[in-house]
Amino acid sequence: MIKAIIFDCFGVLTTDTWKEFAATLPETQRQEARELNHAYGSALLSATEFRGAIKKLTGKLPRNLDGIKRYETNKNTEILKLIAILKQSYKIGLLSNVASNWIRDIFLTASEQDLFDDFIFSYEVRMTKPDPRIFALAAQRLNVPVEACILVDDVEYYGEVARQLGMKSVLYHDFQQAKTDLQKLLV
């Protein structure tokens, strides 16, 4: 029986501008850029160190590093409305690879923050998805077994790791598809 639904932020609650940036890189730079992004998200690199390393690797910077306002205009309001409905019956978590607290401070309004029972930010717990421990921690902090959770994420590999732990997962492509897939798991 499902008791909790855990949502990703970038690519689900908002546009994933990092993914857009990474897609512009030559294949030879993508893996190293991903590793730098995970180190930044785990608080192993400061923002200055991350910017410098990305600039050195690629010769350019993602436009979103200092442009938090862009996320505000790209909120997925449909998914937030769905979460409000789901909140009536399920615990709701937010699990994000993020390097600072700006999601809570800037992106989500107070009423949107109230939709979530817990927030797991990679920089606070010093690990990032796909580390299996972060999925287990999300379930633990929601006080439910991992088998009673669904992860909604736009990265297939993260869903695979969550399923290996016993979670169910929905790969987010678009709102209607994710809503349909989620409803199938909730019956």
Side-chain angles (χ1 to χ4, degrees):
M1 174 183 233
I2 299 301
K3 297 182 180 195
I5 306 167
I6 302 165
F7 290 87
D8 172 46
C9 183
F10 306 109
V12 177
L13 297 182
T14 187
T15 303
D16 189 343
T17 54
W18 168 259
K19 190 185 279 186
E20 291 171 357
F21 171 76
T24 69
L25 299 177
E27 189 63 40
T28 56
Q29 295 177 347
R30 284 188 194 152
Q31 184 58 37
E32 189 174 348
R34 256 187 235 110
E35 290 169 8
L36 289 167
N37 190 45
H38 280 277
Y40 179 47
S42 298
L44 300 175
L45 291 176
S46 71
T48 301
E49 292 167 327
F50 175 68
R51 283 185 189 95
I54 288 294
K55 179 78 171 171
K56 182 178 179 184
L57 174 67
T58 68
K60 56 186 175 179
L61 288 174
R63 62 184 169 183
N64 69 302
L65 283 179
D66 297 311
I68 302 304
K69 291 287 184 196
R70 181 163 191 262
Y71 287 107
E72 291 180 300
T73 61
N74 289 317
K75 278 186 193 179
N76 186 339
T77 55
E78 291 178 306
I79 202 80
L80 289 167
K81 289 175 187 173
L82 178 61
I83 290 169
I85 294 166
L86 294 169
K87 173 80 172 153
Q88 298 170 28
S89 303
Y90 303 96
K91 291 184 178 182
I92 304 293
L94 189 147
L95 172 59
S96 183
N97 286 352
V98 66
S100 70
N101 199 29
W102 70 266
I103 292 173
R104 196 178 296 149
D105 291 344
I106 299 170
F107 174 62
L108 295 174
T109 65
S111 62
E112 291 166 344
Q113 289 180 49
D114 289 343
L115 297 174
F116 299 91
D117 295 294
D118 190 46
F119 295 86
I120 301 252
F121 298 134
S122 60
Y123 83 97
E124 291 178 337
V125 297
R126 300 186 67 83
M127 61 182 129
T128 59
K129 297 179 284 180
D131 188 327
R133 297 174 301 162
I134 202 166
F135 301 111
L137 180 62
Q140 177 187 6
R141 286 182 33 176
L142 290 169
N143 200 29
V144 297
V146 291
E147 299 82 13
C149 295
I150 299 173
L151 174 70
V152 179
D153 204 301
D154 65 314
V155 177
E156 175 61 28
Y157 184 64
Y158 298 165
E160 289 173 18
V161 173
R163 285 190 303 275
Q164 289 170 5
L165 290 174
M167 277 186 188
K168 296 193 178 354
S169 71
V170 168
L171 179 61
Y172 187 93
H173 293 290
D174 62 60
F175 173 74
Q176 194 55 54
Q177 162 271 319
K179 180 181 176 186
T180 300
D181 290 353
L182 195 53
Q183 287 172 331
K184 290 176 186 174
L185 293 174
L186 294 174
V187 288

CSV table of all heavy atoms in Angstrom, one decimal, residues 42-86:
chain,number,residue,atom,x,y,z
A,42,SER,N,26.3,18.1,-3.8
A,42,SER,CA,26.6,17.4,-2.5
A,42,SER,C,27.4,18.3,-1.6
A,42,SER,O,27.8,17.9,-0.5
A,42,SER,CB,27.4,16.1,-2.7
A,42,SER,OG,26.8,15.2,-3.5
A,43,ALA,N,27.6,19.6,-1.9
A,43,ALA,CA,28.3,20.6,-1.2
A,43,ALA,C,29.8,20.2,-1.0
A,43,ALA,O,30.4,20.6,-0.1
A,43,ALA,CB,27.7,20.8,0.2
A,44,LEU,N,30.3,19.5,-2.0
A,44,LEU,CA,31.7,19.2,-2.0
A,44,LEU,C,32.5,20.2,-2.8
A,44,LEU,O,33.7,20.3,-2.6
A,44,LEU,CB,32.0,17.8,-2.7
A,44,LEU,CG,31.3,16.6,-2.0
A,44,LEU,CD1,31.5,15.3,-2.8
A,44,LEU,CD2,31.8,16.5,-0.6
A,45,LEU,N,31.8,21.0,-3.6
A,45,LEU,CA,32.4,22.2,-4.3
A,45,LEU,C,31.5,23.4,-3.9
A,45,LEU,O,30.3,23.3,-3.8
A,45,LEU,CB,32.3,22.0,-5.8
A,45,LEU,CG,33.2,21.0,-6.5
A,45,LEU,CD1,32.9,20.9,-8.0
A,45,LEU,CD2,34.6,21.3,-6.2
A,46,SER,N,32.2,24.5,-3.7
A,46,SER,CA,31.4,25.8,-3.5
A,46,SER,C,30.9,26.3,-4.9
A,46,SER,O,31.3,25.8,-5.9
A,46,SER,CB,32.4,26.9,-3.0
A,46,SER,OG,33.3,27.3,-3.9
A,47,ALA,N,30.0,27.2,-4.9
A,47,ALA,CA,29.5,27.8,-6.1
A,47,ALA,C,30.6,28.4,-7.0
A,47,ALA,O,30.6,28.2,-8.2
A,47,ALA,CB,28.4,28.9,-5.8
A,48,THR,N,31.6,29.0,-6.4
A,48,THR,CA,32.7,29.6,-7.1
A,48,THR,C,33.5,28.5,-7.7
A,48,THR,O,33.9,28.6,-8.9
A,48,THR,CB,33.5,30.5,-6.1
A,48,THR,OG1,32.7,31.5,-5.6
A,48,THR,CG2,34.7,31.1,-6.9
A,49,GLU,N,33.8,27.5,-6.9
A,49,GLU,CA,34.6,26.4,-7.5
A,49,GLU,C,33.9,25.7,-8.6
A,49,GLU,O,34.5,25.3,-9.6
A,49,GLU,CB,34.9,25.3,-6.4
A,49,GLU,CG,35.8,25.9,-5.3
A,49,GLU,CD,35.9,25.0,-4.1
A,49,GLU,OE1,34.8,24.3,-3.7
A,49,GLU,OE2,37.0,24.9,-3.5
A,50,PHE,N,32.6,25.5,-8.5
A,50,PHE,CA,31.8,24.8,-9.5
A,50,PHE,C,31.8,25.7,-10.8
A,50,PHE,O,32.0,25.2,-11.9
A,50,PHE,CB,30.3,24.6,-9.0
A,50,PHE,CG,29.4,24.1,-10.1
A,50,PHE,CD1,29.6,22.8,-10.5
A,50,PHE,CD2,28.4,24.8,-10.6
A,50,PHE,CE1,28.7,22.3,-11.5
A,50,PHE,CE2,27.5,24.3,-11.5
A,50,PHE,CZ,27.7,23.0,-12.0
A,51,ARG,N,31.5,27.0,-10.7
A,51,ARG,CA,31.5,27.8,-11.8
A,51,ARG,C,32.9,27.8,-12.5
A,51,ARG,O,32.9,27.7,-13.8
A,51,ARG,CB,31.2,29.3,-11.4
A,51,ARG,CG,29.8,29.5,-11.1
A,51,ARG,CD,29.5,31.0,-10.8
A,51,ARG,NE,28.2,31.3,-10.4
A,51,ARG,CZ,27.9,31.3,-9.1
A,51,ARG,NH1,28.8,31.2,-8.1
A,51,ARG,NH2,26.6,31.5,-8.7
A,52,GLY,N,33.9,27.9,-11.7
A,52,GLY,CA,35.3,27.9,-12.3
A,52,GLY,C,35.6,26.6,-13.1
A,52,GLY,O,36.1,26.6,-14.2
A,53,ALA,N,35.2,25.4,-12.5
A,53,ALA,CA,35.4,24.1,-13.1
A,53,ALA,C,34.6,23.9,-14.3
A,53,ALA,O,35.1,23.4,-15.3
A,53,ALA,CB,35.2,23.0,-12.0
A,54,ILE,N,33.4,24.4,-14.3
A,54,ILE,CA,32.5,24.2,-15.5
A,54,ILE,C,33.0,25.1,-16.6
A,54,ILE,O,33.1,24.7,-17.8
A,54,ILE,CB,31.0,24.5,-15.2
A,54,ILE,CG1,30.4,23.4,-14.3
A,54,ILE,CG2,30.2,24.8,-16.4
A,54,ILE,CD1,30.3,22.1,-15.1
A,55,LYS,N,33.4,26.3,-16.3
A,55,LYS,CA,33.9,27.3,-17.3
A,55,LYS,C,35.2,26.7,-17.9
A,55,LYS,O,35.4,26.8,-19.1
A,55,LYS,CB,34.2,28.7,-16.6
A,55,LYS,CG,34.7,29.7,-17.5
A,55,LYS,CD,33.7,30.3,-18.4
A,55,LYS,CE,34.2,31.5,-19.1
A,55,LYS,NZ,33.4,32.0,-20.1
A,56,LYS,N,36.1,26.2,-17.0
A,56,LYS,CA,37.3,25.6,-17.5
A,56,LYS,C,37.1,24.4,-18.4
A,56,LYS,O,37.7,24.2,-19.5
A,56,LYS,CB,38.2,25.2,-16.4
A,56,LYS,CG,39.5,24.6,-16.8
A,56,LYS,CD,40.4,24.3,-15.5
A,56,LYS,CE,41.7,23.7,-16.0
A,56,LYS,NZ,42.5,23.2,-14.8
A,57,LEU,N,36.1,23.6,-18.1
A,57,LEU,CA,35.8,22.4,-18.8
A,57,LEU,C,35.1,22.7,-20.2
A,57,LEU,O,35.5,22.1,-21.2
A,57,LEU,CB,34.9,21.4,-18.0
A,57,LEU,CG,34.3,20.2,-18.8
A,57,LEU,CD1,35.5,19.2,-19.1
A,57,LEU,CD2,33.3,19.5,-17.9
A,58,THR,N,34.2,23.6,-20.1
A,58,THR,CA,33.3,23.8,-21.3
A,58,THR,C,33.5,25.1,-22.0
A,58,THR,O,33.1,25.3,-23.1
A,58,THR,CB,31.8,23.8,-20.9
A,58,THR,OG1,31.5,24.9,-20.1
A,58,THR,CG2,31.5,22.5,-20.2
A,59,GLY,N,34.2,26.1,-21.3
A,59,GLY,CA,34.3,27.4,-21.9
A,59,GLY,C,33.1,28.3,-21.8
A,59,GLY,O,33.0,29.4,-22.3
A,60,LYS,N,32.1,27.8,-21.1
A,60,LYS,CA,30.8,28.6,-20.9
A,60,LYS,C,30.2,28.2,-19.6
A,60,LYS,O,30.6,27.2,-18.9
A,60,LYS,CB,29.9,28.3,-22.1
A,60,LYS,CG,29.5,26.9,-22.3
A,60,LYS,CD,28.6,26.7,-23.5
A,60,LYS,CE,28.4,25.2,-23.8
A,60,LYS,NZ,27.5,25.0,-25.0
A,61,LEU,N,29.2,29.0,-19.2
A,61,LEU,CA,28.4,28.7,-18.0
A,61,LEU,C,27.0,28.5,-18.3
A,61,LEU,O,26.4,29.2,-19.2
A,61,LEU,CB,28.6,29.9,-17.0
A,61,LEU,CG,29.9,30.0,-16.3
A,61,LEU,CD1,29.9,31.3,-15.5
A,61,LEU,CD2,30.2,28.8,-15.4
A,62,PRO,N,26.3,27.6,-17.5
A,62,PRO,CA,24.8,27.5,-17.7
A,62,PRO,C,24.2,28.9,-17.3
A,62,PRO,O,24.6,29.5,-16.3
A,62,PRO,CB,24.4,26.5,-16.7
A,62,PRO,CG,25.6,25.8,-16.2
A,62,PRO,CD,26.8,26.7,-16.5
A,63,ARG,N,23.2,29.3,-18.0
A,63,ARG,CA,22.6,30.6,-17.8
A,63,ARG,C,21.8,30.6,-16.5
A,63,ARG,O,21.5,31.7,-16.0
A,63,ARG,CB,21.7,31.0,-18.9
A,63,ARG,CG,20.6,30.1,-19.2
A,63,ARG,CD,19.8,30.4,-20.4
A,63,ARG,NE,18.9,29.3,-20.6
A,63,ARG,CZ,18.1,29.3,-21.6
A,63,ARG,NH1,18.0,30.2,-22.5
A,63,ARG,NH2,17.3,28.2,-21.8
A,64,ASN,N,21.5,29.5,-15.9
A,64,ASN,CA,20.7,29.5,-14.7
A,64,ASN,C,21.4,29.6,-13.4
A,64,ASN,O,20.8,29.7,-12.3
A,64,ASN,CB,19.8,28.2,-14.7
A,64,ASN,CG,20.7,26.9,-14.4
A,64,ASN,OD1,21.6,26.7,-15.2
A,64,ASN,ND2,20.4,26.2,-13.4
A,65,LEU,N,22.7,29.6,-13.4
A,65,LEU,CA,23.5,29.5,-12.2
A,65,LEU,C,23.1,30.7,-11.3
A,65,LEU,O,23.1,30.6,-10.1
A,65,LEU,CB,25.0,29.5,-12.4
A,65,LEU,CG,25.5,28.2,-12.8
A,65,LEU,CD1,27.0,28.3,-13.1
A,65,LEU,CD2,25.2,27.1,-11.8
A,66,ASP,N,22.9,31.9,-11.8
A,66,ASP,CA,22.6,33.0,-11.1
A,66,ASP,C,21.2,33.5,-11.4
A,66,ASP,O,20.8,34.5,-10.9
A,66,ASP,CB,23.6,34.2,-11.3
A,66,ASP,CG,25.0,33.8,-10.8
A,66,ASP,OD1,25.1,33.3,-9.7
A,66,ASP,OD2,25.9,33.9,-11.6
A,67,GLY,N,20.5,32.8,-12.2
A,67,GLY,CA,19.2,33.2,-12.6
A,67,GLY,C,18.0,32.5,-12.0
A,67,GLY,O,17.2,31.9,-12.7
A,68,ILE,N,17.9,32.5,-10.7
A,68,ILE,CA,16.8,31.8,-10.0
A,68,ILE,C,15.5,32.2,-10.5
A,68,ILE,O,14.5,31.4,-10.5
A,68,ILE,CB,17.0,32.1,-8.5
A,68,ILE,CG1,18.3,31.6,-7.9
A,68,ILE,CG2,15.8,31.4,-7.7
A,68,ILE,CD1,18.7,30.2,-8.2
A,69,LYS,N,15.3,33.5,-10.8
A,69,LYS,CA,14.0,34.0,-11.3
A,69,LYS,C,13.4,33.2,-12.4
A,69,LYS,O,12.2,33.0,-12.6
A,69,LYS,CB,14.0,35.4,-11.7
A,69,LYS,CG,14.3,36.4,-10.5
A,69,LYS,CD,13.0,36.5,-9.7
A,69,LYS,CE,13.2,37.5,-8.6
A,69,LYS,NZ,12.2,37.4,-7.6
A,70,ARG,N,14.3,32.6,-13.3
A,70,ARG,CA,13.9,31.8,-14.4
A,70,ARG,C,13.1,30.6,-13.9
A,70,ARG,O,12.1,30.2,-14.6
A,70,ARG,CB,15.1,31.3,-15.2
A,70,ARG,CG,14.7,30.5,-16.4
A,70,ARG,CD,15.8,30.4,-17.4
A,70,ARG,NE,15.3,29.9,-18.6
A,70,ARG,CZ,15.4,28.6,-19.0
A,70,ARG,NH1,16.0,27.8,-18.2
A,70,ARG,NH2,14.9,28.2,-20.1
A,71,TYR,N,13.4,30.0,-12.8
A,71,TYR,CA,12.7,28.9,-12.3
A,71,TYR,C,11.3,29.3,-11.9
A,71,TYR,O,10.3,28.5,-12.1
A,71,TYR,CB,13.4,28.2,-11.1
A,71,TYR,CG,14.6,27.5,-11.5
A,71,TYR,CD1,15.9,28.0,-11.3
A,71,TYR,CD2,14.5,26.2,-12.2
A,71,TYR,CE1,17.0,27.2,-11.7
A,71,TYR,CE2,15.6,25.5,-12.6
A,71,TYR,CZ,16.9,26.0,-12.3
A,71,TYR,OH,18.0,25.4,-12.7
A,72,GLU,N,11.2,30.4,-11.3
A,72,GLU,CA,9.8,30.9,-10.9
A,72,GLU,C,8.8,31.0,-12.0
A,72,GLU,O,7.7,30.7,-11.9
A,72,GLU,CB,9.9,32.2,-10.2
A,72,GLU,CG,10.7,32.1,-8.8
A,72,GLU,CD,10.7,33.5,-8.2
A,72,GLU,OE1,11.3,34.4,-8.7
A,72,GLU,OE2,10.2,33.6,-7.1
A,73,THR,N,9.3,31.4,-13.2
A,73,THR,CA,8.4,31.5,-14.3
A,73,THR,C,8.2,30.2,-15.0
A,73,THR,O,7.3,30.1,-15.9
A,73,THR,CB,9.0,32.5,-15.3
A,73,THR,OG1,10.2,32.0,-15.8
A,73,THR,CG2,9.1,33.9,-14.7
A,74,ASN,N,8.9,29.1,-14.7
A,74,ASN,CA,8.8,27.8,-15.3
A,74,ASN,C,8.3,26.8,-14.3
A,74,ASN,O,8.5,25.6,-14.5
A,74,ASN,CB,10.1,27.4,-15.8
A,74,ASN,CG,10.5,28.2,-17.1
A,74,ASN,OD1,9.7,28.4,-17.9
A,74,ASN,ND2,11.8,28.6,-17.1
A,75,LYS,N,7.6,27.2,-13.3
A,75,LYS,CA,6.9,26.3,-12.3
A,75,LYS,C,5.9,25.4,-13.0
A,75,LYS,O,5.2,25.9,-13.9
A,75,LYS,CB,6.2,27.0,-11.2
A,75,LYS,CG,7.1,27.5,-10.1
A,75,LYS,CD,6.2,28.1,-9.0
A,75,LYS,CE,7.0,28.8,-8.0
A,75,LYS,NZ,6.2,29.4,-7.0
A,76,ASN,N,5.8,24.2,-12.7
A,76,ASN,CA,4.9,23.3,-13.2
A,76,ASN,C,3.6,23.4,-12.3
A,76,ASN,O,3.4,22.6,-11.4
A,76,ASN,CB,5.4,21.9,-13.2
A,76,ASN,CG,4.5,20.9,-13.9
A,76,ASN,OD1,3.3,21.1,-14.0
A,76,ASN,ND2,5.1,19.8,-14.3
A,77,THR,N,2.8,24.3,-12.6
A,77,THR,CA,1.6,24.6,-11.7
A,77,THR,C,0.6,23.4,-11.8
A,77,THR,O,0.0,23.2,-10.7
A,77,THR,CB,0.9,25.9,-12.1
A,77,THR,OG1,0.5,25.8,-13.5
A,77,THR,CG2,1.8,27.1,-11.9
A,78,GLU,N,0.6,22.7,-12.9
A,78,GLU,CA,-0.3,21.5,-12.9
A,78,GLU,C,0.1,20.5,-11.9
A,78,GLU,O,-0.7,19.9,-11.2
A,78,GLU,CB,-0.3,20.9,-14.3
A,78,GLU,CG,-1.0,21.7,-15.4
A,78,GLU,CD,-0.9,21.1,-16.7
A,78,GLU,OE1,0.2,20.8,-17.2
A,78,GLU,OE2,-2.0,20.9,-17.4
A,79,ILE,N,1.4,20.2,-11.8
A,79,ILE,CA,1.9,19.2,-10.9
A,79,ILE,C,1.7,19.7,-9.4
A,79,ILE,O,1.3,18.9,-8.5
A,79,ILE,CB,3.3,18.7,-11.1
A,79,ILE,CG1,3.6,17.3,-10.5
A,79,ILE,CG2,4.4,19.7,-10.6
A,79,ILE,CD1,3.1,16.2,-11.3
A,80,LEU,N,1.9,21.0,-9.2
A,80,LEU,CA,1.6,21.5,-7.8
A,80,LEU,C,0.2,21.4,-7.4
A,80,LEU,O,-0.1,21.0,-6.3
A,80,LEU,CB,2.1,22.9,-7.7
A,80,LEU,CG,3.6,23.1,-7.8
A,80,LEU,CD1,4.0,24.6,-8.0
A,80,LEU,CD2,4.3,22.5,-6.5
A,81,LYS,N,-0.8,21.6,-8.4
A,81,LYS,CA,-2.2,21.4,-8.1
A,81,LYS,C,-2.5,19.9,-7.8
A,81,LYS,O,-3.3,19.6,-6.9
A,81,LYS,CB,-3.0,21.8,-9.2
A,81,LYS,CG,-3.1,23.3,-9.4
A,81,LYS,CD,-3.8,23.8,-10.6
A,81,LYS,CE,-3.7,25.2,-10.9
A,81,LYS,NZ,-4.3,25.6,-12.2
A,82,LEU,N,-1.9,19.0,-8.5
A,82,LEU,CA,-2.0,17.6,-8.3
A,82,LEU,C,-1.5,17.2,-6.9
A,82,LEU,O,-2.1,16.4,-6.2
A,82,LEU,CB,-1.3,16.7,-9.4
A,82,LEU,CG,-1.4,15.2,-9.2
A,82,LEU,CD1,-2.8,14.7,-9.2
A,82,LEU,CD2,-0.6,14.5,-10.3
A,83,ILE,N,-0.3,17.7,-6.6
A,83,ILE,CA,0.2,17.4,-5.2
A,83,ILE,C,-0.7,17.9,-4.1
A,83,ILE,O,-0.9,17.2,-3.1
A,83,ILE,CB,1.6,18.1,-5.1
A,83,ILE,CG1,2.6,17.4,-6.0
A,83,ILE,CG2,2.1,18.1,-3.7
A,83,ILE,CD1,4.0,18.1,-6.2
A,84,ALA,N,-1.4,19.0,-4.3
A,84,ALA,CA,-2.4,19.5,-3.3
A,84,ALA,C,-3.5,18.5,-3.1
A,84,ALA,O,-3.9,18.3,-2.0
A,84,ALA,CB,-2.9,20.8,-3.7
A,85,ILE,N,-3.9,17.9,-4.2
A,85,ILE,CA,-4.9,16.8,-4.1
A,85,ILE,C,-4.4,15.6,-3.4
A,85,ILE,O,-5.0,15.0,-2.5
A,85,ILE,CB,-5.5,16.5,-5.5
A,85,ILE,CG1,-6.3,17.7,-6.0
A,85,ILE,CG2,-6.4,15.3,-5.4
A,85,ILE,CD1,-6.6,17.6,-7.5
A,86,LEU,N,-3.2,15.1,-3.8
A,86,LEU,CA,-2.6,13.9,-3.3
A,86,LEU,C,-2.3,14.1,-1.8
A,86,LEU,O,-2.3,13.1,-1.0
A,86,LEU,CB,-1.3,13.6,-4.1
A,86,LEU,CG,-1.5,13.2,-5.5
A,86,LEU,CD1,-0.1,13.2,-6.2
A,86,LEU,CD2,-2.2,11.9,-5.6
